[in-house]
Amino acid sequence: MASEQQLSAIKGAKVLMVGAGGIGCELLKTLALSGFQDIHIIDMDTIEVSNLNRQFLFRKLHVGQSKAKVARDAILRFTPRISITPYHANVKDPDFNLDFFKQFNVVLNGLDNLDARRHVNRLCLAADIPLIESGTTGFLGQVTVHVKGKTECYECQPKPAPKSYPVCTITSTPSKFVHCIVWAKDLLFAKLFGDKNQENDLNVRSSDSASSSEHVEDVFEIKNGEDIEQYGRRIYDHVFGYNIEVALSNEETWRNRNKPRPIYSRDVLPAELIQENGSVDKNHENGNAVKNQENGNVDKFFVADDPSAVFAMASLGLKNPQDIWSLVENSRIFLEALKLFFTKREKELGQLTFDKDDQLAVEFVTAAANIRADSFGIPLHSLFEAKGIAGNIVHAVATTNAIIAGLIVIEAIKVLQNDTSNYRMTYCLEHPSRKMLLMPVEPFEPNKSCYACSETPLLLEVNTHRSMLRDFVEKIIKAKLGMNFPLIMHGSALLYEVGDDLEEDMAANYAANLDKVLSELPSPVTGGTILTVEDLQQELSCKINIIHREEFDEEKEPDRMNLSGWTQAPPKEKENTNISSDNGASTSTTSQTVTLETYGDDDIEILSTGTESVSAGKKRKVSDISDATTSDLSNIADKSSGKKKHEELDDDDDVVVMLGDGNSDISKKKRLQ
């Protein structure tokens, strides 16, 4: 039962919720039933069918409507006397500025990506408003408290980078189905339906791959007089046949590996089958059609008569996404999906990116990945499994969301009462540890080297005679520091700025600066230069000390820049490195990597908690903690479950997790006294 003091704090509070998804629905309900009177919700998403299994405020009739608005209406039906203000918008919109954040007593986050989380964290720091972060994935969850000057901010500790795979592995020697998914999603799908000007290498890397580069340049263009069926077959033969033969020409590559086999459409789908408006029977394998014993005709699945159908499965009569398609079925899906993209969605061509909620995109990627997997002797997967791999999806557990929502409200009440000594980071475990499923630990002190909440400058090693300002903006300022509208100054000289209110001549000058090397800017940037970088929207400012460096290891440092002093997590596996371009596109350089994006139900990261050297919920002196090594909470869970460590979780339509190897370095951290 809440005390009078708690009730007073609750009723007088103005709360901002960011996110109305898996945790958001539970959180809004819990806030309303706990007595909160003034709640504001921001969410840019609309309701999808996949949300309905756990986001209980939504019904089928709400599909396509704003999550924030429908959630408000649902809550007001049983608590009509409270005020709930919904915003169907992006939290990064200019309307949600510093003045907007200052009106709240506490901000509660339930976001689905690192970029938006950093944005909210920075505005909370600037507005001096407490932030409570949360996340779930499957049975795991966590709640953390971030109060300026008292606890660490969201960016004080490393955040795991998305898993990446070297292009040489993806294009040449895949050994896992995930390699085939990344190839199909980030290379083939992007090449066929994405930005045509984006560098993309679909050739297998071999000693004579350069000789085939010309072939790659024009094979993806539709030729004069070529219909879409002919084009589809030609693409099929190039990526699954020709490229494999190119790979096989390098015998050294396959000395200790199983050789792949080239697959051509003529061998899998005889020409007469392509002309039929239907699919082959499931027992039709390797081009050998199953004949009907009575009439000798090829068996076919039901074919949808609706000409507007945009799903390859529907067009070919395949219904169960958990079936594993045969090579023939995958080939038919591949060609049908490609045809539908070019005939039904031609206006989107050239700007498409893979979306796990785009059924046709998932069908195409699944089929392409399976055909490639078959070529390399890798087991095939169902569409359901492939979608999970492509999105790194771990399906949500509604009970975990409810538990985490309750913990958020508990911490929010402590924050509203300024009960600093009782703040807790609480972790929800899948298996009991020391007979506990909930593990509360004290928050950490602010990290003095955090560029977001301290004034510690960053260091950037760069060749100032080769790297352009554009490289600095795209690869460092935006990709690594997460700034949206950067302003760059050298002393009093303004080198770069963006904004709608800029005069045309100024905007042109700044655009021209982007293509100049750093040392040739109007105010030259050389070794020893100190740059000031600001994002006025995020109210963030930091200084970057420039160190000139002549040479870089292209394999380990593909950006030709090395930023130190920021809190990006290192790669967990030897083969995984950070992608060198902002948008995740691959290039033909051998050091390039392809990133496997993640999606999910409220971003979680399990931090070091010191639970092996201090009891849960028990206070400990800073000096004691600094002298003791701390262990990772997930390792405690590992001891009881044998599971791998969960590093990063998200909130969206599906719960997402990044799985590491469980061997991260033991760290030393200070706890809040």
Side-chain angles (χ1 to χ4, degrees):
M1 194 72 177
S3 66
E4 287 296 324
Q5 184 182 4
Q6 289 173 332
L7 288 174
S8 176
I10 289 170
K11 291 182 178 180
K14 190 172 184 178
V15 177
L16 174 63
M17 279 179 50
V18 187
I23 288 179
C25 284
E26 296 284 353
L27 178 57
L28 184 58
K29 174 259 297 180
T30 306
L31 288 171
L33 295 179
S34 298
F36 285 84
Q37 302 292 304
D38 191 357
I39 306 168
H40 293 239
I41 316 168
I42 301 174
D43 196 305
M44 67 182 291
D45 288 338
T46 55
I47 298 163
E48 298 175 0
V49 174
S50 61
N51 302 146
L52 303 181
N53 69 332
R54 65 194 179 283
Q55 297 175 21
F56 67 98
L57 297 180
F58 310 142
R59 298 292 181 267
K60 192 171 183 179
L61 61 91
H62 297 136
V63 171
Q65 299 181 41
S66 163
K67 284 187 176 183
K69 293 178 180 178
V70 173
R72 169 193 179 273
D73 295 342
I75 292 295
L76 290 182
R77 290 193 190 99
F78 59 86
T79 54
R81 296 182 181 179
I82 69 174
S83 172
I84 302 177
T85 306
Y87 305 88
H88 180 54
N90 190 330
V91 71
K92 295 167 67 176
D93 288 350
D95 291 339
F96 306 120
N97 54 22
L98 184 61
D99 290 335
F100 176 84
F101 272 75
K102 281 184 175 179
Q103 65 181 302
F104 299 102
N105 299 106
V106 64
V107 176
L108 314 177
N109 250 1
L111 286 163
D112 62 357
N113 66 86
L114 176 61
D115 188 43
R117 289 179 178 278
R118 292 194 294 194
H119 181 80
V120 173
N121 176 65
R122 293 168 186 184
L123 283 173
C124 286
L125 288 171
D128 199 9
I129 303 299
L131 169 66
I132 299 179
E133 277 285 357
S134 63
T136 65
T137 188
F139 294 101
L140 298 179
Q142 80 176 28
V143 175
T144 57
V145 182
H146 307 282
V147 180
K148 184 177 181 179
K150 297 180 180 179
T151 72
E152 65 181 11
C153 79
Y154 177 71
E155 297 178 72
C156 276
Q157 300 301 334
K159 301 294 178 288
K163 267 199 192 287
S164 303
Y165 300 92
V167 165
C168 56
T169 298
I170 300 305
T171 60
S172 302
T173 55
S175 58
K176 303 175 183 177
F177 188 70
V178 65
H179 296 156
C180 300
I181 286 286
V182 174
W183 175 88
K185 179 169 73 82
D186 289 346
L187 295 183
L188 184 58
F189 185 91
K191 184 67 176 179
L192 288 171
F193 312 121
D195 184 359
K196 298 296 184 184
N197 296 321
Q198 181 64 53
E199 276 192 275
N200 190 310
D201 186 0
L202 286 177
N203 262 352
V204 181
R205 297 181 186 280
S206 63
S207 58
D208 59 350
S209 62
S211 64
S212 61
S213 60
E214 240 178 79
H215 190 62
V216 175
E217 288 299 319
D218 47 45
V219 72
F220 292 97
E221 296 295 329
I222 297 180
K223 298 177 180 179
N224 291 335
E226 186 176 43
D227 62 33
I228 193 61
E229 283 82 6
Q230 293 170 329
Y231 174 71
R233 277 200 170 226
R234 186 162 57 80
I235 295 300
Y236 185 108
D237 292 343
H238 176 77
V239 297
F240 302 121
Y242 172 81
N243 274 359
I244 300 301
E245 289 191 4
V246 172
L248 289 172
S249 66
N250 187 348
E251 296 182 1
E252 185 66 28
T253 301
W254 311 106
R255 189 179 299 274
N256 298 311
R257 293 185 176 95
N258 292 327
K259 292 183 179 181
R261 67 181 182 93
I263 300 176
Y264 287 93
S265 60
R266 64 178 179 269
D267 300 324
V268 180
L269 299 173
E272 60 270 18
L273 291 183
I274 287 290
Q275 295 170 3
E276 296 184 14
N277 185 24
S279 174
V280 293
D281 187 86
K282 284 187 179 182
N283 294 321
H284 179 291
E285 290 287 348
N286 299 321
N288 298 316
V290 177
K291 301 291 183 179
N292 184 296
Q293 294 180 356
E294 294 183 3
N295 54 28
N297 293 329
V298 177
D299 289 337
K300 299 187 290 292
F301 285 109
F302 167 79
V303 179
D305 294 326
D306 182 6
S308 64
V310 291
F311 298 154
M313 287 181 66
S315 298
L316 301 178
L318 297 171
K319 297 180 180 180
N320 189 351
Q322 297 194 32
D323 285 343
I324 297 178
W325 301 328
S326 67
L327 177 60
V328 170
E329 289 168 336
N330 277 293
S331 300
R332 298 298 297 243
I333 288 287
F334 177 91
L335 294 172
E336 182 68 14
L338 187 146
K339 176 182 176 181
L340 289 173
F341 270 118
F342 276 89
T343 58
K344 303 294 185 181
R345 297 174 61 175
E346 64 274 12
K347 293 182 180 179
E348 301 174 67
L349 297 179
Q351 56 189 13
L352 280 169
T353 56
F354 177 80
D355 183 347
K356 69 182 174 63
D357 296 316
D358 184 336
Q359 174 71 12
L360 189 59
V362 174
E363 290 173 339
F364 178 86
V365 166
T366 299
N370 272 330
I371 298 168
R372 185 165 175 81
D374 188 273
S375 175
F376 281 85
I378 299 169
L380 308 190
H381 287 61
S382 69
L383 181 137
F384 180 81
E385 294 168 323
K387 179 180 178 180
I389 295 170
N392 233 9
I393 298 168
V394 175
H395 295 285
V397 176
T399 307
T400 312
N401 289 340
I403 293 171
I404 292 301
L407 292 169
I408 294 170
V409 174
I410 290 173
E411 294 305 319
I413 294 172
K414 296 177 188 176
V415 166
L416 293 173
Q417 294 182 285
N418 198 27
D419 189 8
T420 308
S421 61
N422 285 315
Y423 292 165
R424 291 293 180 270
M425 299 191 301
T426 305
Y427 300 88
C428 182
L429 307 179
E430 182 175 357
H431 300 276
S433 175
R434 300 180 182 177
K435 299 183 179 180
M436 292 189 296
L437 282 175
L438 295 180
M439 185 74 71
V441 296
E442 294 183 18
F444 301 127
E445 289 181 338
N447 183 349
K448 293 180 180 179
S449 64
C450 174
Y451 68 92
C453 65
S454 74
E455 297 182 357
T456 302
L458 302 172
L459 300 177
L460 178 66
E461 294 178 311
V462 59
N463 189 321
T464 58
H465 301 309
R466 293 182 183 177
S467 294
M468 295 186 295
L469 182 62
R470 183 185 302 279
D471 300 323
F472 176 64
V473 171
E474 297 296 331
K475 298 176 181 179
I476 301 298
I477 303 304
K478 291 184 178 180
K480 293 188 176 180
L481 300 186
M483 294 189 180
N484 302 315
F485 300 98
L487 179 152
I488 304 172
M489 297 184 67
H490 178 193
S492 59
L494 189 55
L495 301 178
Y496 181 73
E497 184 180 10
V498 291
D500 296 333
D501 56 345
L502 291 178
E503 296 180 2
E504 288 188 12
D505 58 338
M506 295 300 294
N509 286 338
Y510 296 143
N513 282 347
L514 287 174
D515 294 321
K516 296 178 180 178
V517 296
L518 296 175
S519 61
E520 295 177 2
L521 289 167
S523 180
V525 175
T526 57
T529 296
I530 300 177
L531 296 178
T532 300
V533 183
E534 298 181 7
D535 188 317
L536 299 182
Q537 185 190 31
Q538 298 179 346
E539 298 290 333
L540 175 67
S541 176
C542 68
K543 294 187 182 299
I544 301 180
N545 293 341
I546 302 298
I547 300 174
H548 177 77
R549 179 174 155 192
E550 282 291 333
E551 300 296 333
F552 289 86
D553 186 325
E554 290 190 12
E555 185 171 347
K556 296 180 180 179
E557 301 165 309
D559 291 345
R560 295 178 177 272
M561 298 181 186
N562 181 35
L563 182 68
S564 56
W566 68 307
T567 53
Q568 175 74 27
K572 295 295 182 183
E573 297 179 5
K574 290 183 179 179
E575 70 168 349
N576 294 347
T577 58
N578 293 331
I579 191 160
S580 66
S581 62
D582 189 17
N583 58 12
S586 63
T587 72
S588 58
T589 58
T590 56
S591 60
Q592 186 69 25
T593 58
V594 176
T595 300
L596 182 62
E597 296 294 340
T598 62
Y599 308 86
D601 230 52
D602 301 320
D603 188 3
I604 283 189
E605 61 175 309
I606 303 299
L607 302 173
S608 299
T609 63
T611 47
E612 291 197 356
S613 56
V614 60
S615 300
K618 187 176 180 180
K619 282 192 173 184
R620 189 161 183 189
K621 294 180 181 180
V622 172
S623 58
D624 293 339
I625 291 295
S626 63
D627 291 336
T629 57
T630 60
S631 64
D632 196 293
L633 175 66
S634 56
N635 289 337
I636 296 176
D638 290 344
K639 292 178 181 178
S640 60
S641 66
K643 302 291 183 184
K644 288 187 176 182
K645 183 179 78 173
H646 289 67
E647 296 172 339
E648 187 83 22
L649 323 172
D650 284 327
D651 177 38
D652 194 55
D653 304 310
D654 297 292
V655 183
V656 183
V657 61
M658 299 293 293
L659 296 178
D661 58 8
N663 295 320
S664 57
D665 294 334
I666 295 176
S667 59
K668 296 185 179 182
K669 296 183 180 179
K670 291 185 178 181
R671 300 213 176 267
L672 176 69
Q673 288 199 86

